[in-house]
Amino acid sequence: ALLAERVGAENVVSVEVDAAIAQRARVALDAAGYGQVTVITGDGVDGWADRAPFDRVIATVGVEEVPYSWVAQTRSGGRLVVPLSNTYQAPGVAVLDVAGGVASGWLGTPAVFMGLRAQRVPRPHGVYPDGRVTEQVSSTELHPYRWAGDRAAATAVGQRVTGIHKHYEAATATTGTQWLFDPVTGSWASVDLDGSPPPYRVEQGGPRRVFDEVIAAYRWWLDAGSPPLSQWLVTVSTNGQSMSLNTTHPPRPIPAAGVAS
């Protein structure tokens, strides 16, 4: 309805996979005077080729990889605004401009959306994993905030490791446990914060040493100069999606995730 107010209801197409929600949207839009909005019941991953090309594509669902159909259905000079997700750290909203069948751009504001059904990965919850067996005990001087809480660092780590989830379980206001977990292999790690100064106790188990992988990725980011989020270039083409650090150029301002050019 807000988009219809800005650009005209006849120029807006919305795609919703759930038939009941799509029908409620049609009823609500009609009641609000925006009945000319086209509401499609279908899988948003396919876009809606019948009305392409579009000037703007706005996704309200998180994706690990932007479907190329969204790029193909956007005119050259158009824009996509898409929340990117990752098992470790959601990079945030990507603002991508389309030229010659390729969409490229930068990360904008932080955001976490429900995942696209075709790309959704179950997330572990609560104390995990149950029945864990400690196979390695070590320690670290690095507080978990540095590699799990800092958005720029965690985004970089998320691009280097695959399938690792993180979860902080607070015990008190100042103590708790930082968990890492790979639900596919059952590999896990925990870093205990008991209120004492570093070093912090690290436990790991399973076929992967997920803590070691995360710290290696964090050190890679440090070695790259601790680049901010504004230096991640996102590109989507027929060859797939890539996120690469563009450290040869000065940091860019984080763009707003708006629909206007």
Side-chain angles (χ1 to χ4, degrees):
L2 293 170
L3 290 171
E5 181 66 22
R6 288 287 299 274
V7 304
E10 69 280 4
N11 296 315
V12 178
V13 176
S14 183
V15 182
E16 166 57 50
V17 70
D18 188 294
I21 294 175
Q23 181 56 27
R24 287 204 301 270
R26 294 185 187 98
V27 172
L29 286 164
D30 189 58
Y34 301 105
Q36 286 184 283
V37 171
T38 301
V39 179
I40 302 298
T41 300
D43 193 339
V45 73
D46 299 322
W48 189 245
D50 289 0
R51 291 284 294 276
F54 296 100
D55 297 301
R56 300 287 187 268
V57 172
I58 303 173
T60 54
V61 64
V63 300
E64 290 197 41
E65 184 167 336
V66 177
Y68 186 73
S69 57
W70 298 357
V71 179
Q73 293 173 24
T74 303
R75 68 170 176 82
S76 190
R79 174 171 290 181
L80 294 88
V81 178
V82 183
L84 297 181
S85 61
N86 184 282
T87 60
Y88 187 83
Q89 172 71 37
V93 177
V95 182
L96 310 176
D97 294 315
V98 178
V102 176
S104 62
W106 308 90
L107 294 178
T109 56
V112 178
F113 281 67
M114 179 179 66
L116 191 72
R117 290 189 182 186
Q119 299 181 12
R120 197 173 300 171
V121 178
R123 296 186 66 87
H125 294 284
V127 179
Y128 56 91
D130 293 332
R132 59 189 178 274
V133 177
T134 300
E135 298 174 355
Q136 183 184 81
V137 178
S138 60
S139 63
T140 180
E141 297 286 333
L142 294 171
H143 192 284
Y145 176 82
R146 296 173 65 179
W147 43 267
D150 180 85
R151 184 184 169 215
T155 298
V157 171
Q159 299 308 305
R160 302 284 290 185
V161 301
T162 58
I164 296 177
H165 299 255
K166 60 182 174 65
H167 168 72
Y168 182 71
E169 183 182 26
T172 70
T174 58
T175 64
T177 301
Q178 179 68 58
W179 292 96
L180 300 171
F181 185 49
D182 170 15
V184 175
T185 66
S187 303
W188 63 276
S190 64
V191 181
D192 291 325
L193 303 176
D194 60 5
S196 303
Y200 309 107
R201 179 183 174 89
V202 179
E203 297 184 23
Q204 299 190 78
R208 295 177 68 178
R209 293 292 178 257
V210 290
F211 175 79
D212 297 346
E213 291 185 37
V214 166
I215 295 305
Y218 173 70
R219 296 195 183 282
W220 169 84
W221 177 72
L222 291 178
D223 291 342
S226 304
L229 287 163
S230 55
Q231 288 189 310
W232 281 102
L233 176 65
V234 183
T235 304
V236 184
S237 69
T238 53
N239 295 322
Q241 175 180 301
S242 65
M243 276 184 61
S244 58
L245 282 173
N246 188 3
T247 56
T248 60
H249 296 282
R252 295 168 171 264
I254 294 289
V259 297
S261 297

